[in-house]
Amino acid sequence: MLARKSIIPEEYVLARIAAENLRKPRIRDRLPKARFIAKSGACNLAHKNIREQGRFLQDIFTTLVDLKWRHTLVIFTMSFLCSWLLFAIMWWLVAFAHGDIYAYMEKGGTEKSGLESTVCVTNVRSFTSAFLFSIEVQVTIGFGGRMMTEECPLAITVLIVQNIVGLIINAVMLGCIFMKTAQAHRRAETLIFSRHAVIAVRNGRLCFMFRVGDLRKSMIISASVRIQVVKKTTTPEGEVVPIHQLDIPVDNPIESNNIFLVAPLIICHVIDKRSPLYDISATDLATQDLEVIVILEGVVETTGITTQARTSYVAEEIQWGHRFVSIVTEEEGVYSVDYSKFGNTVKVAAPRCSARELDEKPSILIQTLQKSELSHQNSLRKRNSMRRNNSMRRNNSIRRSNASLMVPKVQFMTPEGTQNPLES
């Protein structure tokens, strides 16, 4: 409005608005990085443009097991219904070709004793009765109202074929449902990993650590842990490898590389020259486009099935200079595990440099530990001084309160001029 009245020049207003727009920071929502393995262990991968779909039908049993439960139940129901309908049509055609349906229509169902020896299947008068007989044959119910006779060899052949087909359908579908309920990833639901991984000093070396645990009492036999780093790399020839996998060793004092997962364990990887994390410092970690994949494999004690649990840690989920708190305590001769502190960490002294710099200059670690010790001593001194000050203030307040409770002395003057102090 001021610009329209020519009180302020219009050029000045436009320039001011442009300057304010430049000063305002433009905050854009940062898109989350696509991770190869989700925290739940599912592979974050979509298969597109698969032309040879017939390969899935060549392994029909695995395809049925991999389907979702609703699809499996629909196929389970439709397979039985279709087989019953198919053989009901065959039984009706057998009865129609042999003339049983016309015989029952002419007799009207009154002379049953005369027809039982001449028909292929007794009491099959319509498609409904043929469908009921098909169910009785395949499920082996046998109510007794409908039965085979010796008049039709073709009917005996159909009976044999239906029994074989029914057994095959039962074996395939029941086996499929059993395998779906006993899949290995069901056991992996009770194998848990810490939400974050940490990098700290252990035994004088920088180490990458995370915690793994089993919630069930039944153990995982021959459990082993593998760690891989997945990142996008470019070869010297200019080829871009979007998913480049690198194995990193696990620090395990046992030669067999198996772990005894009876209680939560901290899995440690020493960052040495063989590690992909060797040249990464604390400041470089936030800008790294990498993902650490953890794979736990073992045999389920109760079923003997091999199971696998997976998780991953991106750069934002790796805490530098932290350490996991202890959660295993001994109480009345029994080891107790507090899972409420499973992923809790505490901040500890750790050099911010990379492992390469730490190997080249070991004095960095000594200086870091000395600074940590000095800061710890200073904090203790401050804490002790604060406690002394608080105790002194408390004592002074107690003295003041006691002094306020004391009764003052009252003096009375007698007529002779003498003073008699009295306390009331």
Side-chain angles (χ1 to χ4, degrees), residues 332-350:
E332 298 179 357
V334 178
Y335 287 99
S336 176
V337 181
D338 186 6
Y339 281 98
S340 63
K341 302 178 182 178
F342 183 81
N344 293 359
T345 60
V346 293
K347 195 171 183 179
V348 294

Side-chain angles (χ1 to χ4, degrees), residues 312-417:
S312 67
Y313 301 99
V314 294
E316 293 79 7
E317 297 171 347
I318 301 175
Q319 298 178 346
W320 194 289
H322 285 71
R323 183 177 60 194
F324 289 103
V325 299
S326 179
I327 61 175
V328 180
T329 58
E330 186 176 356
E331 299 177 357
E332 298 179 357
V334 178
Y335 287 99
S336 176
V337 181
D338 186 6
Y339 281 98
S340 63
K341 302 178 182 178
F342 183 81
N344 293 359
T345 60
V346 293
K347 195 171 183 179
V348 294
R352 309 289 294 178
C353 63
S354 63
R356 178 185 292 275
E357 297 176 1
L358 189 62
D359 290 343
E360 294 175 354
K361 299 178 181 180
S363 59
I364 298 176
L365 179 60
I366 300 175
Q367 295 175 1
T368 303
L369 295 178
Q370 289 177 353
K371 290 180 181 179
S372 175
E373 185 66 23
L374 289 176
S375 62
H376 181 65
Q377 292 178 1
N378 293 331
S379 63
L380 288 178
R381 291 173 184 173
K382 291 180 180 179
R383 193 178 301 171
N384 293 332
S385 62
M386 291 177 63
R387 289 177 180 176
R388 286 196 298 268
N389 294 333
N390 291 334
S391 62
M392 291 175 64
R393 291 174 184 175
R394 194 180 299 109
N395 293 333
N396 292 333
S397 62
I398 292 173
R399 290 176 184 176
R400 290 175 184 175
S401 62
N402 292 334
S404 62
L405 293 176
M406 292 178 65
V407 180
K409 295 181 180 180
V410 181
Q411 295 180 354
F412 295 95
M413 300 296 295
T414 59
E416 290 80 8

Side-chain angles (χ1 to χ4, degrees), residues 73-86:
L73 293 177
V74 169
I75 294 174
F76 179 82
T77 305
M78 293 303 298
S79 62
F80 283 103
L81 288 177
C82 292
S83 64
W84 294 340
L85 288 172
L86 175 63

Side-chain angles (χ1 to χ4, degrees), residues 23-44:
R23 292 172 188 171
K24 293 180 180 180
R26 297 180 179 179
I27 302 175
R28 296 180 179 179
D29 295 334
R30 183 179 178 183
L31 295 177
K33 177 184 175 298
R35 54 198 310 160
F36 190 58
I37 299 294
K39 296 298 289 184
S40 61
C43 295
N44 188 20

Side-chain angles (χ1 to χ4, degrees), residues 40-53:
S40 61
C43 295
N44 188 20
L45 189 66
H47 299 275
K48 296 182 179 180
N49 301 326
I50 300 177
R51 297 180 180 179
E52 298 181 1
Q53 298 287 344

Side-chain angles (χ1 to χ4, degrees), residues 175-410:
C176 176
I177 292 178
F178 173 76
M179 291 300 297
K180 285 185 69 66
T181 55
Q183 280 183 335
H185 65 84
R186 303 295 180 185
R187 180 61 177 86
E189 296 294 334
T190 52
L191 296 174
I192 58 176
F193 299 88
S194 57
R195 184 70 181 177
H196 295 86
V198 298
I199 293 179
V201 177
R202 174 182 279 191
N203 298 326
R205 305 294 298 274
L206 274 178
C207 298
F208 173 86
M209 295 174 286
F210 60 93
R211 179 173 276 167
V212 60
D214 187 6
L215 299 179
R216 290 187 181 274
K217 290 185 178 181
S218 59
M219 295 178 54
I220 299 295
I221 304 173
S222 302
S224 61
V225 177
R226 292 188 292 114
I227 306 177
Q228 290 184 346
V229 172
V230 176
K231 61 180 180 179
K232 183 179 180 180
T233 58
T234 304
T235 62
E237 294 78 14
E239 180 185 0
V240 177
V241 182
I243 303 176
H244 183 56
Q245 302 181 15
L246 297 172
D247 287 332
I248 58 179
V250 178
D251 184 20
N252 194 351
I254 304 176
E255 295 181 358
S256 61
N257 201 24
N258 293 334
I259 59 175
F260 187 52
L261 197 60
V262 67
L265 298 177
I266 297 176
I267 307 300
C268 176
H269 159 64
V270 179
I271 305 177
D272 52 9
K273 295 181 181 180
R274 301 174 297 170
S275 174
L277 309 175
Y278 189 61
D279 296 323
I280 298 176
S281 62
T283 55
D284 299 335
L285 182 62
T287 60
Q288 290 293 320
D289 187 13
L290 59 86
E291 181 179 357
V292 181
I293 299 176
V294 179
I295 303 172
L296 172 63
E297 293 180 335
V299 179
V300 182
E301 183 182 19
T302 54
T303 60
I305 300 175
T306 303
T307 185
Q308 184 182 95
R310 301 178 295 266
T311 191
S312 67
Y313 301 99
V314 294
E316 293 79 7
E317 297 171 347
I318 301 175
Q319 298 178 346
W320 194 289
H322 285 71
R323 183 177 60 194
F324 289 103
V325 299
S326 179
I327 61 175
V328 180
T329 58
E330 186 176 356
E331 299 177 357
E332 298 179 357
V334 178
Y335 287 99
S336 176
V337 181
D338 186 6
Y339 281 98
S340 63
K341 302 178 182 178
F342 183 81
N344 293 359
T345 60
V346 293
K347 195 171 183 179
V348 294
R352 309 289 294 178
C353 63
S354 63
R356 178 185 292 275
E357 297 176 1
L358 189 62
D359 290 343
E360 294 175 354
K361 299 178 181 180
S363 59
I364 298 176
L365 179 60
I366 300 175
Q367 295 175 1
T368 303
L369 295 178
Q370 289 177 353
K371 290 180 181 179
S372 175
E373 185 66 23
L374 289 176
S375 62
H376 181 65
Q377 292 178 1
N378 293 331
S379 63
L380 288 178
R381 291 173 184 173
K382 291 180 180 179
R383 193 178 301 171
N384 293 332
S385 62
M386 291 177 63
R387 289 177 180 176
R388 286 196 298 268
N389 294 333
N390 291 334
S391 62
M392 291 175 64
R393 291 174 184 175
R394 194 180 299 109
N395 293 333
N396 292 333
S397 62
I398 292 173
R399 290 176 184 176
R400 290 175 184 175
S401 62
N402 292 334
S404 62
L405 293 176
M406 292 178 65
V407 180
K409 295 181 180 180
V410 181

